[in-house]
Amino acid sequence: MKLPFVTRLKNVTDIQVLVVDNEPLMRQAFKIILDAAPGFHWMGEATNGIEAVNFCAGNTPDVILMDMQMPRMNGVEATEIITTNYPGIGVLAVTAFSSEEYLVPALRAGAAGYMVKDSEPAELLAAVKAVFDGS
């Protein structure tokens, strides 16, 4: 007898995470990491800042993994709009570059944290948790 596909159900205490990145591979990688970890729930994705802002108008993620370089509206602009209009949502800036050129604008826009894309999955989860906890 073949069993139906079963997925881990969302727990109301899980940290709800929106993934915003224009690269499909990165969105999928973040989804896999989040869904495999207890206490985290991937709640959706967006491919640019405009989609992220629109998502937040109808949903309330706890934390957003926000890529900084995207078409249409970059992560810095989207972070500023989201943190201004939805102060309960934490933003973790994510980029391929670790220079101050990318760090400072993200933090000025309201990002609660910053990490590079080549970080280990455990570091990503710890950073999401830190943003959620406000530390």
Side-chain angles (χ1 to χ4, degrees), residues 1-134:
M1 178 172 131
K2 188 174 183 177
L3 296 175
F5 176 75
V6 177
T7 186
R8 184 173 69 87
L9 297 176
K10 175 182 128 180
N11 184 324
V12 293
T13 61
D14 286 351
I15 299 170
Q16 307 299 306
V17 183
L18 171 66
V19 174
V20 184
D21 198 302
N22 63 306
E23 298 175 22
L25 185 60
M26 289 306 303
R27 290 193 311 272
Q28 185 65 25
F30 288 142
K31 180 183 188 304
I32 290 168
I33 292 165
L34 291 164
D35 275 348
F40 298 87
H41 178 74
W42 173 91
M43 70 177 302
E45 63 185 42
T47 63
N48 60 60
I50 294 170
E51 289 179 9
V53 171
N54 290 339
F55 184 92
C56 292
N59 302 279
T60 310
D62 296 314
V63 177
I64 298 174
L65 293 178
M66 181 75 75
D67 185 21
M68 290 292 100
Q69 297 180 310
M70 297 177 289
R72 298 189 66 204
M73 178 188 287
N74 68 41
V76 173
E77 294 171 288
T79 296
E80 186 167 14
I81 292 168
I82 290 168
T83 57
T84 299
N85 293 298
Y86 309 100
I89 299 174
V91 175
L92 178 62
V94 182
T95 186
F97 306 100
S98 60
S99 71
E100 286 186 23
E101 174 185 352
Y102 296 96
L103 170 63
V104 174
L107 296 176
R108 283 189 181 142
Y114 179 91
M115 67 179 308
V116 293
K117 289 182 178 181
D118 66 353
S119 299
E120 293 293 326
E123 293 173 305
L124 171 73
L125 296 172
V128 169
K129 178 91 169 82
V131 168
F132 176 74
D133 290 341

